[in-house]
Amino acid sequence: MARILGTMSDRLLGAVLREKTAGACVPEHGSFCYCRSGYRYTMNCYGICTKQTTRC
């Protein structure tokens, strides 16, 4: 019974949270990577440098 409830709660949580906000982030999340073509790049939750809308 506990296993069924655990599975149901995981499915409900997965429906409410999107993939990009679910789970733990890497410790570097939000840290500055570099500037390129006037755009700021920062680390996302998966440890990949992504372009931000803020300019540097």
Side-chain angles (χ1 to χ4, degrees):
M1 183 69 171
R3 187 175 186 181
I4 292 171
L5 289 176
T7 303
M8 288 174 52
S9 66
D10 286 345
R11 287 183 182 171
L12 178 64
L13 194 61
V16 172
L17 296 177
R18 299 287 178 221
E19 183 179 347
K20 67 179 182 179
T21 58
C25 287
V26 294
E28 298 85 11
H29 177 245
S31 64
F32 177 76
C33 291
Y34 53 84
C35 281
R36 182 179 290 165
S37 302
Y39 287 99
R40 179 184 178 109
Y41 285 75
T42 58
M43 295 284 254
N44 67 6
C45 270
Y46 304 109
I48 301 169
C49 283
T50 55
K51 185 165 101 173
Q52 301 297 312
T53 57
T54 57
R55 296 178 74 71
C56 50

